[in-house]
Amino acid sequence: MDMDPDPAPDPDTAAPAAVRRYAVRFDSDVLAAPGVGSGLGAWLLLALVADQAEPADRALLEDQLGLPAGEARAALADLLADPHPAVSAAVARWADAAALTADFGGWAVPGAVEDGPLPDQAGADRWTAERTGGLIETFPLEITELTRLVLASALATRISWRTPLVELDDGGLGTDAATARHLVLETVAAGPVGVVAPTTASGLTVVSVVADPAVPREQVIAAAHEVAAALASTRLPDAVAVLEDGHAWTVSEHREVRAAFQDVVEEWSGWVPSWRLTSEHDLADAPGFATALASLARYVRPEERPAETEARQAAVAAYSATGFEAAAVTGMGIRATGLAHEQEVLVRRIHLRLDRPHAVVAVALDTGRGGAAWHGIPVFTAWVDPTTG
């Protein structure tokens, strides 16, 4: 087993542990097939919503977040205010505030959250591309004239391995002790698993975890989170002694003469695939999102209810001989769908025709933003004769 000499600080503090527990549930729900997602991107939005939720909804969201609403909000603010050098992160709240209920004005968000008016689709797409360095170009929600409120998070990373992996003839990537950490760990979720983690100077560890084929998908995902937390901890677990073949590793032995200070020298190598994945996830049923969307829907005016809600995530990731890149954009939005009740009305149609000569005057008005002295002054006048062509 090879290890980095300086493990990161212990991640088992409240916020990292809470995010990790949520990510296990989120990933198990949304990654039912090959794909990529971000539990953190979803957690950030739930943390933003929880602090303003009504008591019943807040309790449900706190259960999903793993933290009291105030602590989750503080963690969100801390993550944005103190960005990781290898990860860009952004959270935004966009609103058509004039079309929402008065209660919306009482919802204050942390200063690190980008808070502003509702953009059009092109503006949301532009934000997406800018916040992900071009890895994702389209915002996952459609913004229409009925959209009233949108929350968004964006996460992105591009890192390089300290030493490039070997591109093999079979299309895979070869690793050895000089390029990656290799070990077998006993996990609670999936039993013994094989681990390959290329070394990088970025401070972001990318962990590949393989379990016995009989282990269900959701347990392998949980084991991967377990291993990632262990490798980030100052309390590194002991590796399993590998003396014979296992579900994803083989062992061979021979004797040779070499300079060594111990009787047994272990030489690890690995094979990992290069890959690229893109995913679109409907988060309506993802952990916590039904509660969060219902909480936001109360800001829609009564005459525009029932509100239509939507939550989606777009994600992309690639693993190559030279490094790893990934991005995720998560959005939740509220649209007005209320329609006027049908009733019998008087319809009066009036048609006015200006098909003969007439005058046009442009007059200045006081807008309250300066130029009061101009109020009532005609600035332009025209005479129009439609009959002359």
Side-chain angles (χ1 to χ4, degrees), residues 26-84:
F26 178 89
D27 294 345
S28 295
D29 279 2
V30 306
L31 298 182
V36 58
S38 174
L40 172 59
W43 190 93
L44 292 172
L45 294 190
L46 297 185
L48 184 59
V49 173
D51 199 40
Q52 60 75 51
E54 298 290 346
D57 286 343
R58 182 181 303 176
L60 293 173
L61 289 171
E62 289 177 334
D63 184 59
Q64 293 292 342
L65 288 164
L67 290 175
E71 292 184 25
R73 173 191 170 101
L76 161 66
D78 289 346
L79 290 172
L80 296 178
D82 185 23
H84 189 281

Side-chain angles (χ1 to χ4, degrees), residues 246-383:
H247 61 74
W249 55 88
T250 58
V251 179
S252 62
E253 295 181 347
H254 70 278
R255 303 194 71 86
E256 66 176 68
V257 177
R258 65 164 67 180
F261 295 100
Q262 52 198 25
D263 294 333
V264 178
V265 176
E266 291 187 348
E267 295 183 340
W268 290 76
S269 63
W271 187 99
V272 292
S274 61
W275 51 264
R276 181 177 181 83
L277 292 169
T278 59
S279 297
E280 288 272 355
H281 304 297
D282 184 342
L283 302 185
D285 296 322
F289 273 78
T291 301
L293 289 167
S295 179
L296 295 178
R298 77 179 194 275
Y299 291 125
V300 172
R301 290 178 175 176
E303 64 269 23
E304 293 190 329
R305 296 174 186 171
E308 183 178 281
T309 64
E310 184 181 17
R312 300 190 66 82
Q313 182 178 91
V316 60
Y319 188 111
S320 70
T322 56
F324 175 79
E325 63 181 24
V329 174
T330 311
M332 58 171 63
I334 308 298
R335 286 192 292 269
T337 58
L339 300 175
H341 296 294
E342 290 188 356
Q343 58 183 345
E344 184 176 316
V345 298
L346 171 67
V347 178
R348 179 177 289 117
R349 294 187 173 92
I350 300 173
H351 178 61
L352 181 61
R353 295 176 61 86
L354 277 72
D355 57 357
R356 53 188 175 81
H358 58 276
V360 177
V361 175
V363 61
L365 302 176
D366 182 10
T367 65
R369 297 190 297 272
W374 285 68
H375 185 70
I377 295 179
V379 181
F380 301 104
T381 302
W383 177 258

Side-chain angles (χ1 to χ4, degrees), residues 9-174:
D10 186 358
D12 291 324
T13 53
V19 173
R20 186 168 64 249
R21 288 191 297 269
Y22 178 81
V24 170
R25 298 192 299 273
F26 178 89
D27 294 345
S28 295
D29 279 2
V30 306
L31 298 182
V36 58
S38 174
L40 172 59
W43 190 93
L44 292 172
L45 294 190
L46 297 185
L48 184 59
V49 173
D51 199 40
Q52 60 75 51
E54 298 290 346
D57 286 343
R58 182 181 303 176
L60 293 173
L61 289 171
E62 289 177 334
D63 184 59
Q64 293 292 342
L65 288 164
L67 290 175
E71 292 184 25
R73 173 191 170 101
L76 161 66
D78 289 346
L79 290 172
L80 296 178
D82 185 23
H84 189 281
V87 181
S88 64
V91 174
R93 184 185 71 170
W94 302 319
D96 182 359
L100 298 174
T101 64
D103 290 346
F104 179 76
W107 178 15
V109 298
V113 172
E114 301 176 38
D115 192 21
L118 191 71
D120 59 12
Q121 189 68 53
D125 291 347
R126 187 164 52 251
W127 183 89
T128 296
E130 290 173 352
R131 298 304 183 275
T132 65
L135 289 174
I136 300 175
E137 296 185 345
T138 303
F139 189 66
L141 301 186
E142 181 183 7
I143 297 179
T144 73
E145 67 278 1
L146 292 175
T147 301
R148 297 292 181 258
L149 176 63
V150 172
L151 304 185
S153 70
L155 299 164
T157 186
R158 275 193 178 97
I159 63 169
S160 298
W161 309 136
R162 184 173 292 165
T163 304
L165 309 185
V166 177
E167 298 187 69
L168 304 173
D169 291 340
D170 63 5
L173 305 173

